[in-house]
Amino acid sequence: MKKQLVAGLMVMVAMLSFGCSGRNAEFGVVDMKTVESKAAIVQTVKEEVSTKGKALQEEMEKEMAGKSQEEQKKILEDKTAEMQLIQSEAQNKLKASLDSALTAVAKEKGLGAVLVKDAVPQGGVDVTDAVVEKMK
């Protein structure tokens, strides 16, 4: 009898702590292709990477002029590493913007999660436009 009472109390405490219905069953979906094509920050970051890439290319060509093959190889490695860093920073900037937008939209709409639309066969609330608007 005592064990049943203790077990019943534990179940009640768990239900009150976590909610009787569990997590929010509502979820959102976002079309990443649309986000990539419509979000202004994506275009801005792509342009920045392209501009920096062209500048790096020109710099590399100037530095390589009149150098030995070994020196040219070293310059190429250095510029490649710089370009990778630029691309990595751009990806991090876009990821931070997307994460922030997804969190804000999920909170505003009371969604338990936001999933990539291509991974969800059906259902979910499409929040693509709201995410595009929130990306900065």
Side-chain angles (χ1 to χ4, degrees), residues 38-86:
K38 288 186 176 180
I41 189 170
V42 174
Q43 305 312 317
T44 302
V45 169
K46 282 183 178 180
E47 289 171 10
E48 287 175 6
V49 169
S50 178
T51 302
K52 289 178 181 178
K54 287 177 185 175
L56 221 55
Q57 178 73 28
E58 290 171 7
E59 229 178 87
M60 182 180 69
E61 289 171 3
K62 287 179 185 175
E63 287 180 27
M64 289 178 119
K67 303 282 180 168
S68 70
Q69 216 172 9
E70 195 171 295
E71 290 173 317
Q72 288 180 351
K73 183 179 176 186
K74 174 69 174 138
I75 292 168
L76 178 63
E77 288 173 359
D78 290 345
K79 297 304 176 186
T80 300
E82 280 185 57
M83 190 62 199
Q84 288 174 342
L85 181 63
I86 290 168

Side-chain angles (χ1 to χ4, degrees), residues 5 23 32 53 62 72 77-78 82 86 99 103 118 129:
L5 181 62
R23 290 191 172 204
M32 293 307 295
K62 287 179 185 175
Q72 288 180 351
E77 288 173 359
D78 290 345
E82 280 185 57
I86 290 168
D99 288 348
T103 300
D118 292 342
D129 292 334

Side-chain angles (χ1 to χ4, degrees), residues 1-8:
M1 177 73 173
K2 226 177 185 182
K3 287 182 182 180
Q4 290 175 338
L5 181 62
V6 170

